[in-house]
Amino acid sequence: METTDLARLTTYFDRIVRQFHLPDRPASFLVTHLLPERPAFVRAVAGLSDLRAVLPKPKSISHTARREVERSFSCDTLSRSLFAAPDSAVMYLETRAADTDVVLLDVGGYFAPVLEALCAQFSGRILGVVEDTENGHRRYAEIDKLPCPVVSVARSPLKDPEDFLVGQSVVFSTEALLRGRGDILHGRPALVLGFGKLGSSIARLLHAKGVHVTVYDVSPVRRAQALSQGFGVARDRDRALTRAGLVLCATGSLSLRGEDFSLLRNGAYIATVTSSEDELELDGLPAGYARSAAGDGITRYLTTGHYFYLLNDGNAVNFLHGASVGPFIFLVQAEILAALRMLVRGDLAPAMHDVSSDDRAAIAATWLDYYNR
C-alpha cells in the first residue's frame, strides 16, 4: 500500500474509532484474514478494546502483514480444533484474558461450538460475539438458545459491495488458473452451488464471460430467483455435477461430499469461495485417488478412468491473487467496530442482532468523505 493510501486509511479508522469511542475497553480476540491492508483494521480494533490476540485465518495470511501485526500484538495459531472442545477453548481464554470482560470478533463461526461453555465456565464475562460471514451467521443462528448476544454484519447492506467484488475476484482467479493451463472459461458449462449474494454475483459474472451457467441451491426461493434472472436451474443436483466443466462452490457450508467427486466429468475444475474445511469433504474421497500438481495453484486428482482438478487446494481461490476488494472492505470493518460498541453497552439480549441503520449511515458518510474524492 502506498504511503498516501496508508495515511488516508489510518485517518479514516482514527475517525471511526472516535465515532464509536468506548468509556470502558473490554478485552478482545480477533479472528481475521490477515491480508496486506489488514494491520490498519487490527490497530483500530485495539483502539476500541484491549486486543489480547489476533487469530489469522490459516489460508489467508500475508507474511508481511503478520510481521507488522506481531510487532504490537500476539498472533496465535487458529484452527477449528482450538475451539472444538470446551476445556481447551476455556483454557485458551484463561491464559490470555482471565477475569476480564471479553468480546469475540469472529469470521466463520469459530467460537460457535463452545460458546455456551465459554459463557458458563470462563472466569471473566463474555460480552458477546461479532460475526462477519454468512457461514458464521448460520452457525450462531443454529444454536438453540444463545448464551450471549451475537451481532452479525454478514447480511448488512454495507457488505453488498464487498460480496459483489469478491465474486469478481473469484471469477478472475478461476479464469487466470485455467488460462495458465491453456484452458478458457468461454464455452465451458459451469455449475454454481449456492445462489446467495456471492453465488449470484459469480453466476452473473460468468454469464458475462460467455459461460453457460447452471445454478443449484437447496432453497426453492433462491432457485426461483435464479430462474427469474435467466439462469438454468438444476432440478437434479447429481445430474448437474456430471455435466459441469467447472463447479464453483458458494454455499458457505458443505457443498461436495466425498461421494460427489466421482460424479464429476473428466477434466472438471472445482473452486470454492471459502475454505476446504467448510465446502469440501475431501477426506471422504473414494479410495484410489492420487494427487499431483497440474500447474500453479492446481491439483489433479486421478484414479483409474477418472480425473478432476481442484483449485488452490480447495481453499478460497481468490486468495491466490490477494482477494482484494479495494476500499469497500473498510465499510464492513467499520461496522464490526460499531458492533463491538453495541456489545460493550451491555443492553442486548442473548440473541442475534444487527447494527442499527443510523450507525450504518454514519459509517457510510464517513467512508464517502475519504473514498469518494
Side-chain angles (χ1 to χ4, degrees):
M1 183 176 285
E2 298 292 341
T3 302
T4 53
D5 295 332
L6 180 58
R8 176 166 53 175
L9 179 57
T10 299
T11 55
Y12 164 76
F13 274 127
D14 286 346
R15 186 168 160 189
I16 292 292
V17 168
R18 289 195 300 272
Q19 280 181 244
F20 298 111
H21 172 71
L22 292 167
D24 300 313
R25 287 160 45 91
S28 65
F29 291 82
L30 174 64
V31 176
T32 184
H33 298 289
L34 205 50
L35 300 174
E37 90 297 331
R38 208 53 57 100
F41 172 60
V42 173
R43 290 190 292 270
V45 171
L48 287 179
S49 65
D50 179 6
L51 181 55
R52 298 299 176 93
V54 178
L55 294 147
K57 297 266 288 185
K59 304 298 182 180
S60 54
I61 300 175
S62 159
H63 297 296
T64 301
R66 178 165 190 147
R67 285 194 297 270
E68 182 178 346
V69 168
E70 285 179 329
R71 286 198 288 267
S72 303
F73 308 102
S74 296
C75 275
D76 292 335
T77 301
L78 177 66
S79 66
R80 291 287 179 194
S81 61
L82 177 62
F83 300 110
D87 289 347
S88 61
V90 172
M91 181 60 68
Y92 172 73
L93 259 63
E94 295 290 359
T95 60
R96 290 289 191 196
D99 299 312
T100 60
D101 288 347
V102 169
V103 172
L104 305 173
L105 306 176
D106 204 354
V107 178
Y110 280 86
F111 301 107
V114 291
L115 187 58
E116 185 175 356
L118 292 177
C119 290
Q121 300 173 28
F122 174 54
S123 64
R125 181 172 56 139
I126 304 298
L127 298 180
V129 180
V130 181
E131 174 55 49
D132 180 40
T133 66
E134 179 64 25
N135 180 28
H137 179 107
R138 293 176 189 169
R139 290 175 187 263
Y140 288 109
E142 287 169 358
I143 296 175
D144 185 49
K145 188 176 181 181
L146 282 168
C148 67
V150 176
V151 183
S152 173
V153 303
R155 298 177 181 180
S156 166
L158 293 184
K159 198 173 173 68
D160 289 346
E162 179 194 354
D163 289 333
F164 175 74
L165 292 166
V166 167
Q168 281 194 329
S169 69
V170 165
V171 172
F172 170 85
S173 294
T174 300
E175 183 171 32
L177 292 179
L178 266 63
R179 286 186 177 274
R181 297 196 72 253
D183 279 339
I184 61 173
L185 285 175
H186 189 89
R188 178 176 288 272
L191 174 64
V192 177
L193 296 174
F195 199 70
K197 288 189 287 186
L198 274 180
S200 59
S201 172
I202 290 167
R204 287 191 292 270
L205 291 160
L206 287 172
H207 177 73
K209 289 181 173 290
V211 177
H212 177 73
V213 180
T214 300
V215 168
Y216 181 80
D217 194 294
V218 295
S219 165
V221 172
R222 287 182 174 172
R223 294 201 298 272
Q225 290 172 336
L227 195 63
S228 74
Q229 295 176 32
F231 297 110
V233 174
R235 294 172 61 88
D236 185 315
R237 172 184 170 277
D238 289 355
R239 177 179 288 185
L241 283 172
T242 66
R243 296 175 175 177
L246 169 66
V247 180
L248 272 156
C249 303
T251 66
S253 55
L254 183 61
S255 291
L256 293 178
R257 302 179 299 272
E259 61 268 23
D260 292 330
F261 293 97
S262 60
L263 298 175
L264 298 168
R265 81 181 201 181
N266 274 338
Y269 291 90
I270 302 171
T272 77
V273 304
T274 54
S275 64
S276 57
E277 63 184 7
D278 292 327
E279 294 274 2
L280 307 175
E281 192 183 41
L282 290 171
D283 291 343
L285 264 171
Y289 278 93
R291 293 180 45 173
S292 61
D296 290 341
I298 303 177
T299 303
R300 180 192 296 109
Y301 283 77
L302 174 66
T303 190
T304 304
H306 188 236
Y307 68 99
F308 62 89
Y309 300 107
L310 184 62
L311 305 187
N312 195 23
D313 290 326
N315 297 301
V317 65
N318 54 324
F319 282 114
L320 285 173
H321 301 101
S324 176
V325 297
F328 296 96
I329 186 65
F330 308 141
L331 286 163
V332 182
Q333 291 169 350
E335 189 169 356
I336 290 170
L337 299 176
L340 191 159
R341 183 181 69 166
M342 289 173 61
L343 292 172
V344 175
R345 285 176 170 173
D347 57 355
L348 298 180
M352 300 290 291
H353 299 271
D354 298 322
V355 172
S356 72
S357 57
D358 287 345
D359 281 349
R360 287 173 179 161
I363 290 167
T366 299
W367 184 87
L368 288 166
D369 281 348
Y370 285 87
Y371 292 101
N372 189 37
R373 294 179 176 178

